[in-house]
Amino acid sequence: MSDRVIVAPQVAERLTAGQKRSFWAAWSGWAMDGMDSFIYALVLAPAMRELLPKSGIAATPANVASYGAILFALFMVGWGLALLWGPVADKFGRARTLMLTILWFSLFTLLAATSQSVWSLAFYRFMAGIGIGGEWAIGAALVSEALPEKRRVVGGGLMHTGYYFGFFIAALANYFIGSSYGWRVMFVVGGMPALVVAYFYNRVHEPERWQNNRQELGKQASMNRSFLQCFAPSYRRRTILNSVYILASISGLWAGSAYVPTAVTELARNAGRASEAAQLASWAAAILAIGTILGAILSPYLAEWLGRKTALGIFFALMLASIVFAFGYVYYLPVNALAWFMVCTFLLGVGGASFAVYSFWLPEQYTTECRVSAFAFTTNVGRFAGAGISLALAAAIQHYRTLGKPVAMTAIFFVFALLLLPFGEETRGKGLPH
């Protein structure tokens, strides 16, 4: 009989004021990340219809979708470069680096409101991606290290709900503001996360675990050392596999969920409800967010009950089925396509909770010295491949003259991820390594 002790997601131990501030700083930053990320998905169609003609390009439905995919690709290249934040956070601290990433993406999202061509918008989104991509790794490490062991796993799952509350905030803003005042004002709203930094500045302190590690390493601590540690023989295999798993999740988020507003906008036009398109896209975003929030809340309990890999596999399978059914079948229904697509959007949202599993699973696999470096690398390096996927998707949309089938094809990545999942590192019942 195994002597492994399962650490159940209990909530018995009370949190200190400092631990609560650490959690809410990470949660708020991740919520603002989600809001800024999804604002572009919500305003993609109207922004492209205005900026493409100014750039000498016809604003046809195919061009709107394909150039939107190109901008998604550039955004993901920026997000991929965010892996550089990992060694910075391991060397200089989680809290201060977290605040810097929030200021970074707030500034460039705000500047996107001034875009006068599709390429200036692409530049600002590229730069915003660098900041947005850094917050998740730092926030997840901060929560894992600051919270007591019995609350760490639940804390990681709940932290990830922030990203999708951000979706919900973006949807509400688009419903009440974007639909009336246009896409530029939405990017102004996207600059507001800087207020989070103003509130939490000097209120959040570095985790004791990180401080102790810095004292132990002394002058040996360096960004280069932290980064290279991710590829040490004891970590190399899991680093490679984790990167592959997250690439599959990225394909689901950007090729599936991120195209939901555009798909709903087109379905609304086909149904003769063009005047309601912005509001319906906002409803779809809200439904997507609600589904993922519910999945994220459920994720730590599934992971403690069935194991990290099995929980992740459930979300992968749900995403695989939902993307194929929503974009490959429902999108082309002659009647009631819009209503059924909304149902599929909820399931896409629940499947997107695979990201919540990473928020507590990845920190469990690495020591404090390289925790953020490893998290940042594995969650961001796949963005470069994701950029290539977006470019291929843009070409496929142009070729097929439709959005549905090309997006449905991206579900193949979940097949490969499911096949590789048994080889991943199972950490159920193990504490956070020092």
Side-chain angles (χ1 to χ4, degrees):
M1 182 179 293
S2 173
D3 60 353
R4 183 179 62 184
V5 177
I6 301 300
V7 180
Q10 301 173 12
V11 292
E13 189 172 351
R14 294 179 63 86
L15 299 180
T16 66
Q19 290 169 338
K20 291 177 181 178
R21 284 195 296 269
S22 294
F23 172 82
W24 286 114
W27 187 93
S28 300
W30 200 216
M32 296 300 97
D33 252 18
M35 181 186 74
D36 276 25
S37 297
F38 211 62
I39 278 176
Y40 175 67
L42 286 167
V43 304
L44 169 63
M48 291 295 99
R49 282 196 292 270
E50 178 181 332
L51 295 178
L52 284 173
K54 291 183 177 181
S55 306
I57 304 166
T60 64
N63 281 342
V64 167
S66 61
Y67 277 90
I70 292 172
L71 264 66
F72 270 129
L74 292 172
F75 175 62
M76 277 194 282
V77 170
W79 195 320
L81 290 174
L83 61 86
L84 299 173
W85 292 111
V88 174
D90 281 329
K91 167 69 175 176
F92 298 104
R94 283 62 163 125
R96 67 189 72 179
T97 311
L98 178 72
M99 300 304 165
L100 181 58
T101 62
I102 296 172
L103 284 174
W104 184 292
F105 72 72
S106 298
L107 172 63
F108 287 103
T109 301
L110 177 64
L111 289 173
T114 68
S115 301
Q116 296 301 314
S117 71
V118 67
W119 304 119
S120 59
L121 177 60
F123 171 76
Y124 293 132
R125 293 304 292 161
F126 167 80
M127 295 299 290
I130 296 176
I132 287 174
E135 204 283 340
W136 181 22
I138 302 165
L142 178 62
V143 169
S144 293
E145 294 173 357
L147 267 59
E149 184 63 38
K150 289 185 178 179
R151 305 196 60 171
R152 174 181 58 79
V153 176
V154 171
L158 292 180
M159 188 216 80
H160 205 77
T161 65
Y163 192 80
Y164 298 94
F165 269 99
F167 276 32
F168 192 68
I169 294 169
L172 287 175
N174 194 53
Y175 188 90
F176 291 106
I177 299 174
S179 60
S180 299
Y181 300 102
W183 63 271
R184 293 184 187 274
V185 179
M186 285 293 291
F187 281 127
V188 174
V189 172
M192 293 178 64
L195 298 176
V196 173
V197 175
Y199 178 77
F200 283 108
Y201 187 72
N202 282 338
R203 287 184 170 90
V204 179
H205 305 294
E206 300 298 341
E208 184 178 345
R209 184 186 295 263
W210 177 83
Q211 295 182 44
N212 292 339
N213 181 259
R214 287 284 291 121
Q215 290 179 354
E216 291 173 5
L217 291 175
K219 294 182 179 180
Q220 295 181 16
S222 69
M223 291 188 289
N224 185 59
R225 176 186 169 118
S226 295
F227 182 76
L228 293 178
Q229 187 67 21
C230 307
F231 306 97
S234 57
Y235 289 142
R236 188 180 302 127
R237 173 180 168 180
R238 67 184 69 175
T239 296
I240 294 171
L241 286 171
N242 290 337
S243 300
V244 174
Y245 303 147
I246 293 166
L247 173 60
S249 295
I250 289 169
S251 75
L253 177 67
W254 292 112
S257 303
Y259 277 98
V260 163
T262 303
V264 169
T265 298
E266 293 304 316
L267 289 174
R269 291 178 180 276
N270 295 340
R273 302 174 64 179
S275 62
E276 305 172 65
Q279 289 88 346
L280 288 169
S282 296
W283 276 111
I287 291 170
L288 185 78
I290 291 169
T292 311
I293 288 169
L294 292 175
I297 292 172
L298 182 63
S299 65
Y301 297 95
L302 278 176
E304 290 292 346
W305 177 34
L306 301 172
R308 277 50 167 162
K309 294 189 293 183
T310 301
L312 189 60
I314 290 171
F315 291 123
F316 278 174
L318 182 57
M319 198 61 138
L320 167 63
S322 298
I323 289 177
V324 171
F325 188 67
F327 287 93
Y329 176 71
V330 172
Y331 187 79
Y332 298 101
L333 287 176
V335 293
N336 296 324
L338 186 59
W340 279 108
F341 196 87
M342 290 292 193
V343 174
C344 293
T345 295
F346 175 78
L347 297 177
L348 279 169
V350 176
S354 61
F355 284 96
V357 177
Y358 301 131
S359 291
F360 54 80
W361 187 36
L362 293 182
E364 294 174 339
Q365 298 185 47
Y366 300 91
T367 59
T368 304
E369 179 185 358
C370 65
R371 182 166 290 122
V372 185
S373 294
F375 199 119
F377 178 83
T378 55
T379 56
N380 289 321
V381 70
R383 311 286 172 177
F384 296 110
I389 294 169
S390 285
L391 291 175
L393 187 58
I397 291 169
Q398 285 280 23
H399 176 75
Y400 288 104
R401 299 292 174 180
T402 180
L403 178 68
K405 291 179 180 178
V407 173
M409 293 176 186
T410 63
I412 189 66
F413 291 99
F414 290 105
V415 175
F416 294 120
L418 284 167
L419 292 174
L420 290 173
L421 200 51
F423 301 100
E425 186 75 12
E426 182 56 68
T427 56
R428 182 177 64 165
K430 301 177 182 179
L432 192 71
H434 293 281

